[in-house]
């Protein structure tokens, strides 16, 4: 019988970045950065569609929860508490509720995506795709920012129906939204990589994310707290994110907006660096 042609196995693949650059498939900016923008944008689109298709759960549910908070706290304390001069209590808590929802939903987006992929086994398709750890990180974090911002805008639109909410510094609102949601998206990647089942993600959210966001000045000014609880709030990075975000609305805050910016930026960089490092190592993704 004629000898069949041999099939070479284990041949090293050419470097994906070099091949893409030589073939001209990368965009001009990608040639400089080493990132393939099209695969990253595809993953980003997939992550956005994933939460958009279940908008009743991802957008409407946080909206209803925030509405209940506004009704209960606004009715109970609306005419009795004044935090900032000229700002009633119901208006005061709206930015805090917005950012709390932004943080929680940004975390949920990336963490749920990873744990679902790991549990169902389709994480292998992500690992086999022509995506670098940097591209995976950027796509998932950007999708988390989009989900967090979408929830925040929905809450603001609802609140504006019956409240007059000033937005004196919209630039600060955008900055803290991006840093807060981006940091929580990166933290969600960390939790999703670490967790091996849904219960662990739920525990991470219920025992860490939820308490820290609730105790970050959403419903009160930390200046009204006893010294012990005020000190605890000052080491909570979520407090600075919420306080800086609120400054964008009222031009008033419990601490300097620049101090809040420094803490929010440090939180984002630390979470992003840790998440990228774990992805680069393939932590709990590869045997």
């Amino acid at each position: 019988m004629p000898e069949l042609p041999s099939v070479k196995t284990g041949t090293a693949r050419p470097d994906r970045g070099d091949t893409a650059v030589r073939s001209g498939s990368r965009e001009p900016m990608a040639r400089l950065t080493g990132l393939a923008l099209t695969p990253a944008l595809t993953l980003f689109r997939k992550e956005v569609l994933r939460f958009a298709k279940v908008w009743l759960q991802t957008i409407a549910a946080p909206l209803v929860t925030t509405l209940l908070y506004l009704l209960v706290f606004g009715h109970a304390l609306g005419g009795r508490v004044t935090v900032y001069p000229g700002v009633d209590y119901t208006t005061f808590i709206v930015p805090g509720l917005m950012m709390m929802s932004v943080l929680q939903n940004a975390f949920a987006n990336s963490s749920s995506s990873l744990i679902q992929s790991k549990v169902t086994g389709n994480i292998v398709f992500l690992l086999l795709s022509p995506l670098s750890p940097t591209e995976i990180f950027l796509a998932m974090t950007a999708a988390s920012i989009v989900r967090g911002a979408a929830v925040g805008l929905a809450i603001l639109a609802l609140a504006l129906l019956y409240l007059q909410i000033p937005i004196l510094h919209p630039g600060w609102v955008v900055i803290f939204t991006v840093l807060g949601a981006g940091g929580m998206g990166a933290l969600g990647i960390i939790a999703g990589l670490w967790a091996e089942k849904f219960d662990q993600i739920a525990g991470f959210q219920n025992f860490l994310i939820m308490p820290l966001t609730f105790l970050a000045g959403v419903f009160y000014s930390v200046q009204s707290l006893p010294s012990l609880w005020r000190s605890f709030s000052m080491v909570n990075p979520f407090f600075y994110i919420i306080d800086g975000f609120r400054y964008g609305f009222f031009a008033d805050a419990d601490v300097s907006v620049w101090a809040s910016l420094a803490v929010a930026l440090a939180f984002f960089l630390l979470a992003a660096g840790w998440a990228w490092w774990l992805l680069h190592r393939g932590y709990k993704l590869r045997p």
Side-chain angles (χ1 to χ4, degrees):
M1 294 179 62
E3 185 178 352
L4 296 175
S6 61
V7 179
K8 295 181 180 180
T9 59
T11 304
R13 295 173 58 190
D15 182 78
R16 181 176 61 83
D18 293 342
T19 303
V21 172
R22 285 196 300 267
S23 64
S25 61
R26 289 174 179 260
E27 300 177 21
M29 189 62 186
R31 295 172 185 164
L32 298 177
T33 61
L35 298 178
L37 298 183
T38 300
L41 288 174
T42 301
L43 179 59
F44 167 75
R45 181 174 179 271
K46 174 257 183 185
E47 290 295 315
V48 171
L49 289 176
R50 190 183 67 86
F51 79 78
K53 287 186 175 181
V54 288
W55 63 272
L56 282 175
Q57 175 185 348
T58 57
I59 305 296
L63 192 62
V64 172
T65 301
T66 302
L67 177 61
L68 292 175
Y69 281 131
L70 285 174
L71 291 176
V72 172
F73 284 92
H75 177 73
L77 301 173
R80 306 177 186 179
V81 177
T82 300
V83 181
Y84 297 152
V87 179
D88 66 88
Y89 180 74
T90 306
T91 304
F92 167 80
I93 65 174
V94 168
L97 290 171
M98 286 176 60
M99 181 51 69
M100 182 178 73
S101 297
V102 167
L103 297 176
Q104 292 176 354
N105 281 273
F107 172 84
N109 196 69
S110 53
S111 61
S112 63
S113 177
L114 277 174
I115 192 62
Q116 286 174 5
S117 296
K118 290 171 66 175
V119 171
T120 58
N122 61 31
I123 190 70
V124 66
F125 298 111
L126 182 63
L127 298 178
L128 292 175
S129 66
L131 283 162
S132 69
T134 303
E135 292 159 359
I136 294 174
F137 167 77
L138 291 176
M140 299 193 73
T141 303
S144 297
I145 294 174
V146 171
R147 175 171 168 179
V151 173
L153 286 173
I155 294 172
L156 179 61
L158 176 67
L160 287 174
L161 293 177
Y162 64 97
L163 291 174
Q164 293 184 348
I165 304 174
I167 308 179
L168 301 180
H169 298 290
W172 286 115
V173 173
V174 173
I175 289 172
F176 281 100
T177 298
V178 172
L179 290 178
M184 292 303 289
L187 191 62
I189 293 175
I190 296 169
L193 292 173
W194 164 79
E196 298 177 354
K197 51 187 178 180
F198 290 103
D199 291 350
Q200 292 175 321
I201 288 292
F204 199 100
Q205 189 156 13
N206 292 333
F207 296 109
L208 181 64
I209 305 301
M210 190 74 72
L212 287 178
T213 52
F214 266 89
L215 298 176
V218 174
F219 301 102
Y220 53 82
S221 168
V222 297
Q223 301 302 328
S224 63
L225 296 176
S227 58
L228 176 63
W229 287 104
R230 190 183 307 121
S231 300
F232 175 78
S233 296
M234 292 299 176
V235 297
N236 181 1
F238 295 169
F239 158 71
Y240 295 92
I241 297 172
I242 291 176
D243 197 58
F245 183 75
R246 185 177 279 129
Y247 177 88
F249 287 85
F250 308 126
D252 203 348
D254 290 331
V255 299
S256 167
V257 68
W258 295 104
S260 296
L261 177 63
V263 174
L265 182 60
F267 169 73
F268 171 76
L269 293 176
L270 179 63
W274 191 5
W276 178 88
W277 181 70
L278 292 177
L279 284 171
H280 185 71
R281 286 188 55 202
Y283 177 71
K284 290 194 175 182
L285 291 177
R286 295 190 293 262

